[in-house]
């Protein structure tokens, strides 16, 4: 396990390099990421490469035993490139070239961009492929599956559709373009989605474009991977992701990469409401689930974020250290803080680093030192340990994308619903993975699969097999609504899952912000909102009924037996406590480990290998928490502190 930093030598006067790197070594930095935005310095004019300055920096780092992760600089093509090859600039939703001058404006499908990418990445790989100091590569930076409308993208999208549908007739039929006279009579009429009002466009077509946009980006990653691999057969390769509106399919993106990396900027103010308290943990669990193995935090919070928004509150004492430890507790093995020192110039000068502008070793720097000591000197025993859980929450890009342009009800968000279940499981102390819907589910006892709105046969088969073999499956509202073409199915919902559920949706009510209540068979009552599936049970037992409105007394939550397994169907979105109570019930006759009296906001996880098992408790609240563990002296956990217990000793 290693702690490192992000460093931008090209942004600093050369006289600072040596001193910076000496300080890095002294404070305990083991890894540095370099160069992901430095194209204009690496190739100042076309075909003229200057790696001398980078060689110098890498030599200084190597001298101190610090490893390097080298970024490919394709996020920021230099201005000469855009000038000479205007097709390299992406186009916006009106077909206009986006304004250059800030980063991320290159088009992945532009022939010139592809050519220049191959050249710069191959040159770098040739030059650094054998370097001992360079241990890993990062492709580009925070890649997005944006919807470019340039000529190259338009042409490529048409080819993609031709390959998929074979004929215009088939495509028209699949999309149902007879609606509003939207039928295509010539391929030249097909254009990427244009304009701001995209929810007026055809949902089948939009879905395809989301898929196409992600695939274009994935190809850009594969192209760079191949260039690196030609010269460097051994170093690992990754890319750093963040979660935003244009996040690509990260399961596909990372498929051929060595490990997943995530940019982790947890909020610096703990929210009052408890809904978001496990939000950091959720993102970390999601990252671990991408390759179902330990991962890297390529950028970690170091100071107050700011720049394109007002400056946030500065991290409270112990947050800079604590959030790194929290990531370790959820499977991170490598964490690089962003950034070594706050920039003096440029758009990002108020996104604060470990060192402030004054270059004084202040409070956060001392905390970072303490983090390096803790991780490198005291937590070494966690090296090689992994997280294995018996509960998984299923994620899917298809669902996430589908809701972006067809929101189902006021306040209903895919991520929020996933987080409610994650939150409930976290409170019980059980470990939870977040994995792709199509993963092999053997080894799990409980699968939570909220909102499988677009149901592929593969997912139906996967979940049916899981249940037949004795698993417990939780399904929810808006499941089985659509087929893979993003068209509605002419069946009772939950469509292909109805046999598993043993009940069907007789009618539904998009509650939005309105409220109803659910009365459980065990006497508990919970508020619900956003959505209400009014269920008619067949073989299923009713666990909860609605308490109000014209469907008062009708089933809201059911339980059914299928094969050796059990299926729960939750037709609505309930208040937070429901998810805790419900998960406790579901876990009752399983071997899922829980912890009694776990304070709300304290996160429990287990890292283990063949011979060791460690329980990690992280306090994600701003209060001291009292921890009671059976057969042990109670102890106090400070805010953002991690406590590790060896379960085998
Ligand atoms: C992202 C980017 C970084 C930097 C940080 C902070 O995560 O990858 O280059 O811009 O945000 O703004």
């Amino acid at each position: 396990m290693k702690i490192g930093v992000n460093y931008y030598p090209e942004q600093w006067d050369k006289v600072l390099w040596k001193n910076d790197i000496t300080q890095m070594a002294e404070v305990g930095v083991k890894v540095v990421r370099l160069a992901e935005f430095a194209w204009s310095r690496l190739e100042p004019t076309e075909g003229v490469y200057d790696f001398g300055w980078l060689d110098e920096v890498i030599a200084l780092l190597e001298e101190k035993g610090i490893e390097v992760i080298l970024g490919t600089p394709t996020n920021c093509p230099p201005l000469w490139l855009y000038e000479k090859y205007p097709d390299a600039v992406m186009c916006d939703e009106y077909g206009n070239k986006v304004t250059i001058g800030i980063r991320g404006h290159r088009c992945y499908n532009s022939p010139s961009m592809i050519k220049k990418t191959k050249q710069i990445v191959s040159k770098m790989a040739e030059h650094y492929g054998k370097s001992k100091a360079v241990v890993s590569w990062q492709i580009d930076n925070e890649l997005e599956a944006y919807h470019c409308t340039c000529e190259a993208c338009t042409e490529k999208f048409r080819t993609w559709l031709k390959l998929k549908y074979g004929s215009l007739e088939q495509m028209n039929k699949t999309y149902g373009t007879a609606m509003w006279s939207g039928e295509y009579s010539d391929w030249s009429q097909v254009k990427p989605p244009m304009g701001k009002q995209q929810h007026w466009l055809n949902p089948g077509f939009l879905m395809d474009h989301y898929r196409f946009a992600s695939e274009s980006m994935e190809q850009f990653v594969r192209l760079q991977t191949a260039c690196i691999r030609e010269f460097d057969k051994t170093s690992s390769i990754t890319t750093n992701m963040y979660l935003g509106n244009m996040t690509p399919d990260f399961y596909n993106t990372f498929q051929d990469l060595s490990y997943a990396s995530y940019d982790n900027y947890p909020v610096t103010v703990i929210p009052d409401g408890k809904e978001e308290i496990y939000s950091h943990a959720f993102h970390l669990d999601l990252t671990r689930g991408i390759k179902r193995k330990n991962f890297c935090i390529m950028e970690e919070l170091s100071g107050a974020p700011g720049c394109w928004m007002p400056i946030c509150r500065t991290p409270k004492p112990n947050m800079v250290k604590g959030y790194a430890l929290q990531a370790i507790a959820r499977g991170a093995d490598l964490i690089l803080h962003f950034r070594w020192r706050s920039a003096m110039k440029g758009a990002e000068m108020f996104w604060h680093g470990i060192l402030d502008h004054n270059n004084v070793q202040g409070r956060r720097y001392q905390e970072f030192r303490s983090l390096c000591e803790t991780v490198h000197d005291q937590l070494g025993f966690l090296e090689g340990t992994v997280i294995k859980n018996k509960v998984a929450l299923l994620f899917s890009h298809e669902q996430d994308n589908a809701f972006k342009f067809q929101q189902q009800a006021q306040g209903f968000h895919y991520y929020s619903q996933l987080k409610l279940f994650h939150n409930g499981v976290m409170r019980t102390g059980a470990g939870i993975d977040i994995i792709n819907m199509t993963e092999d589910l053997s080894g799990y006892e409980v699968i939570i699969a909220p909102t499988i709105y677009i149901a592929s046969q593969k997912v139906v088969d996967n979940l049916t097999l899981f249940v037949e073999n004795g698993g417990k499956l939780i399904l929810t509202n808006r499941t089985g609504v659509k087929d893979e073409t993003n068209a509605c199915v002419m069946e009772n919902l939950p469509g292909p899952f109805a046999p598993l559920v043993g009940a069907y949706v007789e009618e539904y009510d998009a509650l939005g912000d309105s409220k109803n209540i659910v009365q459980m068979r065990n006497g508990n009552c919970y508020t619900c909102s956003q959505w209400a599936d009014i269920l008619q049970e067949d073989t299923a037992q009713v666990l909860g009924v609605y308490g109000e409105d014209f469907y008062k007394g009708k089933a809201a939550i059911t339980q059914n037996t299928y094969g050796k397994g059990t299926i729960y169907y939750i037709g609505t979105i309930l208040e937070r406590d429901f998810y805790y109570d419900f998960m406790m019930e579901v876990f009752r006759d399983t071997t899922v480990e829980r912890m009694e009296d776990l304070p709300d906001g304290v996160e429990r996880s287990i890292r283990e290998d063949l011979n060791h098992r460690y329980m990690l408790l992280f306090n994600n609240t701003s209060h001291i928490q009292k921890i009671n563990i059976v057969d042990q002296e109670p102890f106090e956990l400070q805010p953002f502190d991690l406590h590790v217990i060896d379960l085998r000793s």
Side-chain angles (χ1 to χ4, degrees):
M1 286 188 319
K2 288 177 183 146
I3 300 296
V5 291
N6 291 275
Y7 188 51
Y8 298 94
E10 71 278 16
Q11 296 173 17
W12 298 109
D13 195 317
K14 204 177 149 162
V15 295
L16 291 172
W17 293 351
K18 193 159 186 200
N19 194 37
D20 280 346
I21 291 169
T22 308
Q23 267 191 70
M24 285 178 202
E26 187 273 328
V27 78
V29 165
K30 302 276 186 221
V31 188
V32 166
R33 181 185 66 171
L34 296 172
E36 80 277 12
F37 298 123
W39 197 339
S40 70
R41 285 295 171 93
L42 294 167
E43 191 182 0
T45 47
E46 187 168 14
V48 179
Y49 298 94
D50 178 7
F51 295 150
W53 63 273
L54 190 54
D55 292 347
E56 224 177 290
V57 176
I58 292 179
L60 288 171
L61 290 164
E62 196 169 7
E63 216 176 276
K64 297 289 180 193
I66 298 175
E67 295 176 340
V68 171
I69 299 177
L70 203 54
T72 67
T74 50
N75 187 280
C76 293
L79 295 182
W80 61 254
L81 192 152
Y82 282 145
E83 207 171 57
K84 180 152 182 205
Y85 304 101
D87 71 284
V89 186
M90 63 186 272
C91 290
D92 66 14
E93 64 269 40
Y94 298 105
N96 300 321
K97 298 249 166 257
V98 300
T99 321
I100 53 171
I102 59 163
R103 61 191 187 178
H105 291 336
R106 70 277 178 255
C107 168
Y108 308 130
N109 291 323
S110 135
S112 314
M113 186 61 203
I114 290 174
K115 183 173 137 205
K116 300 313 290 176
T117 294
K118 277 186 187 160
Q119 285 172 356
I120 185 74
V121 177
S122 302
K123 276 280 170 207
M124 285 179 79
E126 188 179 14
H127 192 82
Y128 294 107
K130 303 257 169 338
S131 156
K132 279 210 186 69
V134 176
V135 296
S136 192
W137 293 83
Q138 174 191 296
I139 291 173
D140 205 285
N141 190 75
E142 291 192 342
L143 287 150
E144 292 178 321
Y146 60 77
H147 297 236
C148 175
T149 58
C150 79
E151 247 173 71
C153 285
T154 306
E155 256 327 301
K156 196 171 167 193
F157 183 43
R158 286 181 189 140
T159 310
W160 189 92
L161 292 170
K162 278 180 201 164
L163 253 172
K164 179 162 181 179
Y165 294 107
S167 67
L168 270 182
E169 196 192 354
Q170 185 55 38
M171 191 173 93
N172 277 320
K173 194 169 158 215
T174 308
Y175 291 162
T177 47
M179 172 102 186
W180 296 345
S181 286
E183 281 161 301
Y184 297 101
S185 51
D186 194 285
W187 285 105
S188 64
Q189 295 159 354
V190 179
K191 296 202 171 64
M194 308 287 281
K196 283 257 181 273
Q197 305 280 319
Q198 303 215 339
H199 45 272
W200 285 101
L201 299 179
N202 184 295
F205 164 79
L206 280 174
M207 200 64 203
D208 269 346
H209 200 264
Y210 272 82
R211 291 168 179 143
F212 167 77
S214 188
E215 279 179 32
S216 297
M217 199 226 74
E218 292 153 27
Q219 281 165 9
F220 191 63
V221 171
R222 277 197 289 276
L223 169 92
Q224 298 205 28
T225 309
C227 295
I228 296 170
R229 279 287 170 250
E230 196 184 334
F231 298 99
D232 183 347
K233 305 273 186 263
T234 51
S235 303
S236 54
I237 308 177
T238 188
T239 185
N240 57 332
M241 70 147 193
Y242 85 112
L243 297 174
N245 212 25
M246 292 184 285
T247 305
D249 182 323
F250 41 70
Y251 299 114
N252 289 341
T253 306
F254 283 98
Q255 200 168 30
D256 302 328
L257 299 179
S258 319
Y259 57 95
S261 302
Y262 173 62
D263 293 348
N264 191 33
Y265 293 103
V267 291
T268 50
V269 176
I270 297 288
D272 287 340
K274 292 274 168 53
E275 277 74 16
E276 288 296 323
I277 197 152
Y278 300 108
S279 195
H280 309 156
F282 176 90
H283 294 134
L284 297 166
D285 288 341
L286 187 72
T287 309
R288 189 182 66 252
I290 293 175
K291 290 192 78 76
R292 297 181 74 173
K293 64 178 199 184
N294 292 5
F295 59 93
C296 159
I297 298 293
M298 197 56 92
E299 296 177 19
E300 174 71 35
L301 177 86
S302 301
C307 297
W308 36 87
M309 55 191 185
I311 301 173
C312 302
R313 297 287 305 272
T314 193
K316 293 206 184 314
N318 220 12
M319 266 188 179
V320 166
K321 176 176 179 183
Y323 285 155
L325 295 176
Q326 177 188 35
I328 289 174
R330 312 213 76 77
D333 277 349
L334 173 63
I335 299 175
L336 282 78
H337 283 251
F338 183 91
R339 44 190 279 163
W340 172 246
R341 183 170 43 236
S342 316
M344 314 297 288
K345 300 177 184 182
E348 214 162 64
M349 56 174 80
F350 294 119
W351 198 286
H352 296 84
I354 290 291
L355 283 163
D356 281 324
H357 297 123
N358 60 9
N359 208 21
V360 169
Q361 299 183 359
R363 174 180 69 87
R364 300 192 312 279
Y365 187 92
Q366 299 311 340
E367 217 176 89
F368 179 71
R369 177 192 299 284
S370 159
L371 170 72
C372 291
E373 281 165 9
T374 303
V375 172
H376 300 144
D377 306 341
Q378 293 157 29
L379 291 179
F381 56 84
L382 290 177
E383 190 75 50
T385 58
V386 296
I387 297 176
K388 291 183 193 160
N389 291 319
K390 299 207 166 131
V391 183
L393 179 65
L394 303 191
F395 178 83
S396 146
H397 285 279
E398 292 272 289
Q399 325 303 338
D400 187 28
N401 286 337
F403 295 128
K404 283 180 189 159
F405 45 87
Q406 278 194 311
Q407 200 183 353
Q408 295 294 286
Q410 194 65 37
F412 176 78
H413 295 290
Y414 182 57
Y415 270 97
S416 313
Q417 201 191 17
L418 295 175
K419 281 184 181 177
L420 279 169
F421 280 102
H422 182 265
N423 196 307
V425 174
M426 290 292 291
R427 283 173 76 185
T428 69
I432 177 164
D433 293 340
I434 305 177
I435 58 170
N436 194 359
M437 219 159 248
T438 48
E439 284 284 328
D440 174 9
L441 302 177
S442 47
Y444 289 112
E445 287 185 49
V446 177
I447 293 291
I448 309 166
T451 318
I452 311 178
Y453 179 67
I454 294 181
S456 69
Q457 196 52 46
K458 194 168 172 193
V459 170
V460 177
D461 293 346
N462 203 21
L463 293 178
T464 306
L465 181 72
F466 171 75
V467 175
E468 277 169 352
N469 289 336
K472 291 185 162 204
L473 171 66
I474 301 167
L475 298 174
T476 73
N477 61 313
R478 304 320 277 148
T479 287
V481 178
K482 303 240 185 142
D483 64 21
E484 281 179 282
T485 70
N486 205 14
C488 290
V489 297
M490 198 183 275
E491 284 172 52
N492 275 331
L493 300 185
F497 294 101
L500 289 184
V501 173
Y504 66 92
V505 180
E506 211 171 54
E507 203 182 332
Y508 55 68
D509 186 7
L511 284 174
D513 296 336
S514 311
K515 305 241 181 293
N516 200 321
I517 49 170
V518 173
Q519 290 163 343
M520 299 296 285
R521 201 170 58 179
N522 62 13
N524 290 347
C525 255
Y526 305 94
T527 309
C528 68
S529 64
Q530 297 175 22
W531 195 269
D533 274 344
I534 303 160
L535 300 172
Q536 178 56 52
E537 63 278 16
D538 179 9
T539 52
Q541 300 171 45
V542 177
L543 297 186
V545 296
Y546 293 106
E548 288 169 6
D549 223 314
F550 68 91
Y551 41 93
K552 180 176 175 176
K554 291 292 287 184
I557 302 173
T558 59
Q559 174 180 343
N560 195 36
T561 307
Y562 188 94
K564 293 191 219 142
T566 309
I567 304 97
Y568 302 91
Y569 187 89
I570 303 173
T572 182
I573 318 278
L574 299 104
E575 64 184 284
R576 177 178 187 251
D577 281 345
F578 165 81
Y579 295 89
Y580 169 75
D581 297 343
F582 181 72
M583 291 318 302
M584 287 295 274
E585 271 305 303
V586 172
F587 291 156
R588 208 124 58 109
D589 47 358
T590 66
T591 67
V592 174
E593 276 179 49
R594 285 144 277 164
M595 183 170 148
E596 271 176 43
D597 294 334
L598 184 65
D600 210 351
V602 173
E603 302 169 1
R604 175 184 182 272
S605 57
I606 305 274
R607 283 188 65 138
E608 60 190 306
D609 61 18
L610 280 181
N611 305 311
H612 309 93
R613 244 181 143 238
Y614 302 102
M615 178 165 85
L616 296 93
L617 294 169
F618 175 74
N619 180 1
N620 194 36
T621 73
S622 17
H623 312 285
I624 297 174
Q625 298 289 353
K626 193 137 189 225
I627 308 293
N628 294 303
I629 297 180
V630 186
D631 299 334
Q632 287 198 26
E633 275 293 301
F635 63 91
E636 285 187 341
L637 200 52
Q638 297 296 318
F640 317 112
D641 244 9
L642 177 75
H643 185 85
V644 186
I645 299 167
D646 184 346
L647 295 176
R648 294 256 164 98
S649 68

